[in-house]
Short mmCIF file of all heavy atoms in Angstrom, two decimals:
data_model
loop_
_atom_site.label_atom_id
_atom_site.label_comp_id
_atom_site.label_asym_id
_atom_site.label_seq_id
_atom_site.Cartn_x
_atom_site.Cartn_y
_atom_site.Cartn_z
N ARG A 17 -3.91 -2.13 6.90
CA ARG A 17 -3.04 -3.22 7.22
C ARG A 17 -2.35 -2.97 8.56
O ARG A 17 -2.33 -3.81 9.48
CB ARG A 17 -1.94 -3.35 6.27
CG ARG A 17 -0.94 -4.45 6.63
CD ARG A 17 0.47 -4.09 6.02
NE ARG A 17 0.95 -2.87 6.31
CZ ARG A 17 1.78 -2.12 5.56
NH1 ARG A 17 2.23 -2.63 4.43
NH2 ARG A 17 2.22 -0.97 6.01
N PHE A 20 -4.67 -3.81 11.38
CA PHE A 20 -4.70 -5.26 11.65
C PHE A 20 -3.48 -5.69 12.43
O PHE A 20 -3.49 -6.46 13.45
CB PHE A 20 -4.77 -6.09 10.39
CG PHE A 20 -6.16 -6.09 9.77
CD1 PHE A 20 -6.25 -6.04 8.42
CD2 PHE A 20 -7.39 -6.03 10.44
CE1 PHE A 20 -7.50 -5.99 7.73
CE2 PHE A 20 -8.44 -6.08 9.84
CZ PHE A 20 -8.69 -6.10 8.47
N LYS A 21 -2.36 -5.05 12.18
CA LYS A 21 -1.11 -5.42 12.89
C LYS A 21 -1.18 -5.01 14.37
O LYS A 21 -0.74 -5.64 15.28
CB LYS A 21 0.09 -4.78 12.19
CG LYS A 21 0.45 -5.43 10.94
CD LYS A 21 1.82 -4.79 10.35
CE LYS A 21 2.16 -5.52 9.10
NZ LYS A 21 3.47 -4.86 8.45
N TYR A 37 -5.11 -14.65 13.49
CA TYR A 37 -6.17 -14.17 12.64
C TYR A 37 -5.78 -12.74 12.08
O TYR A 37 -5.93 -12.48 10.94
CB TYR A 37 -7.41 -14.11 13.43
CG TYR A 37 -8.52 -13.38 12.66
CD1 TYR A 37 -9.27 -14.02 11.73
CD2 TYR A 37 -8.87 -12.05 13.03
CE1 TYR A 37 -10.36 -13.33 11.02
CE2 TYR A 37 -9.96 -11.39 12.38
CZ TYR A 37 -10.59 -12.10 11.39
OH TYR A 37 -11.57 -11.42 10.69
N TRP A 38 -5.41 -11.90 13.02
CA TRP A 38 -5.08 -10.47 12.57
C TRP A 38 -3.89 -10.45 11.74
O TRP A 38 -3.94 -9.60 10.84
CB TRP A 38 -4.95 -9.58 13.82
CG TRP A 38 -6.19 -9.47 14.63
CD1 TRP A 38 -6.47 -9.89 15.92
CD2 TRP A 38 -7.48 -8.92 14.20
NE1 TRP A 38 -7.74 -9.74 16.30
CE2 TRP A 38 -8.33 -9.08 15.26
CE3 TRP A 38 -7.84 -8.22 13.01
CZ2 TRP A 38 -9.62 -8.65 15.24
CZ3 TRP A 38 -9.21 -7.81 13.05
CH2 TRP A 38 -10.05 -7.97 14.15
N ALA A 39 -2.86 -11.29 12.02
CA ALA A 39 -1.73 -11.32 11.15
C ALA A 39 -2.08 -11.73 9.72
O ALA A 39 -1.54 -11.26 8.81
CB ALA A 39 -0.66 -12.17 11.70
N GLY A 40 -3.03 -12.67 9.62
CA GLY A 40 -3.47 -13.20 8.34
C GLY A 40 -4.35 -12.15 7.57
O GLY A 40 -4.12 -12.01 6.34
N ARG A 41 -5.00 -11.33 8.30
CA ARG A 41 -5.76 -10.25 7.65
C ARG A 41 -4.75 -9.12 7.07
O ARG A 41 -4.91 -8.68 6.09
CB ARG A 41 -6.75 -9.66 8.65
CG ARG A 41 -7.84 -10.37 9.10
CD ARG A 41 -8.87 -10.84 8.09
NE ARG A 41 -9.46 -9.61 7.36
CZ ARG A 41 -10.67 -9.11 7.61
NH1 ARG A 41 -11.26 -9.61 8.62
NH2 ARG A 41 -11.04 -8.03 6.98
N ALA A 42 -3.79 -8.90 7.85
CA ALA A 42 -2.67 -7.94 7.46
C ALA A 42 -1.94 -8.40 6.26
O ALA A 42 -1.79 -7.74 5.31
CB ALA A 42 -1.69 -7.62 8.62
N LYS A 43 -1.69 -9.74 6.24
CA LYS A 43 -1.00 -10.45 5.02
C LYS A 43 -2.04 -10.21 3.78
O LYS A 43 -1.54 -10.11 2.65
CB LYS A 43 -0.72 -11.72 5.35
CG LYS A 43 0.17 -12.46 4.27
CD LYS A 43 0.61 -13.82 4.70
CE LYS A 43 1.40 -14.49 3.55
NZ LYS A 43 1.94 -15.64 3.99
N ALA A 44 -3.34 -10.52 4.05
CA ALA A 44 -4.25 -10.42 2.90
C ALA A 44 -4.27 -9.01 2.30
O ALA A 44 -4.34 -8.89 1.10
CB ALA A 44 -5.64 -10.82 3.42
N VAL A 45 -4.19 -7.99 3.12
CA VAL A 45 -4.19 -6.59 2.62
C VAL A 45 -2.92 -6.30 1.87
O VAL A 45 -2.95 -5.71 0.80
CB VAL A 45 -4.37 -5.57 3.77
CG1 VAL A 45 -4.10 -4.18 3.35
CG2 VAL A 45 -5.69 -5.71 4.48
N ASP A 46 -1.72 -6.97 2.21
CA ASP A 46 -0.52 -6.74 1.63
C ASP A 46 -0.71 -7.39 0.19
O ASP A 46 -0.13 -6.90 -0.75
CB ASP A 46 0.69 -7.36 2.38
CG ASP A 46 1.33 -6.28 3.32
OD1 ASP A 46 1.15 -5.12 3.04
OD2 ASP A 46 1.86 -6.83 4.29
N GLY A 47 -1.37 -8.58 0.14
CA GLY A 47 -1.53 -9.23 -1.14
C GLY A 47 -2.30 -8.28 -2.11
O GLY A 47 -2.07 -8.22 -3.29
N LEU A 48 -3.40 -7.63 -1.43
CA LEU A 48 -4.23 -6.77 -2.25
C LEU A 48 -3.41 -5.68 -2.85
O LEU A 48 -3.49 -5.17 -3.99
CB LEU A 48 -5.36 -6.28 -1.51
CG LEU A 48 -6.35 -5.39 -2.12
CD1 LEU A 48 -6.97 -5.94 -3.32
CD2 LEU A 48 -7.36 -4.96 -1.14
N ARG A 49 -2.57 -5.09 -2.02
CA ARG A 49 -1.66 -3.93 -2.42
C ARG A 49 -0.77 -4.39 -3.50
O ARG A 49 -0.66 -3.71 -4.49
CB ARG A 49 -0.76 -3.50 -1.22
CG ARG A 49 -1.61 -2.73 -0.18
CD ARG A 49 -0.64 -2.30 1.02
NE ARG A 49 0.45 -1.51 0.50
CZ ARG A 49 1.70 -1.60 0.73
NH1 ARG A 49 2.13 -2.61 1.56
NH2 ARG A 49 2.60 -0.78 0.34
N GLU A 50 -0.29 -5.59 -3.47
CA GLU A 50 0.56 -6.18 -4.57
C GLU A 50 -0.20 -6.27 -5.75
O GLU A 50 0.30 -5.97 -6.87
CB GLU A 50 1.22 -7.42 -4.12
CG GLU A 50 2.23 -7.32 -3.09
CD GLU A 50 2.81 -8.69 -2.61
OE1 GLU A 50 2.68 -9.67 -3.33
OE2 GLU A 50 3.36 -8.70 -1.49
#
Side-chain angles (χ1 to χ4, degrees):
R17 178 207 54 208
F20 285 143
K21 287 182 176 182
Y37 170 79
W38 296 113
R41 296 293 304 264
K43 186 175 180 178
V45 172
D46 274 334
L48 179 58
R49 289 178 60 231
E50 289 175 20

